[in-house]
Amino acid sequence: MYHYIGHISKYIAPGAKRIGWSKYGANLDVTAAVNPDGSYVVILLNRTKEDSGCFLRVNRHIMRVDLPAETLSTVVIEK
């Protein structure tokens, strides 16, 4: 948990606001925020022992994110 908090604090800045998200399936943990500079941050945790992937949709843009097994991944979308 200590390492997770350290990782997340590198990307989600003080004053950031948590934003809504939705997911389908139980194998992925997600949180998302918008930083004061307008950048979006999405933190994804793949708890499974298998590589996985997901699609992120931000406004009208869709992107695929590959998630290695048992990893915490971060996507930063600059304003």
Side-chain angles (χ1 to χ4, degrees), residues 28-67:
L28 182 65
D29 290 329
V30 181
T31 194
V34 61
N35 281 322
D37 68 1
S39 63
Y40 292 94
V41 178
V42 182
I43 310 284
L44 303 156
L45 176 62
N46 178 3
R47 293 181 182 265
T48 69
K49 296 188 182 301
E50 297 179 10
D51 292 348
S52 183
C54 70
F55 289 93
L56 294 180
R57 184 180 68 187
V58 178
N59 298 326
R60 287 178 245 152
H61 304 282
I62 298 174
M63 68 192 84
R64 178 166 169 80
V65 179
D66 294 319
L67 303 167

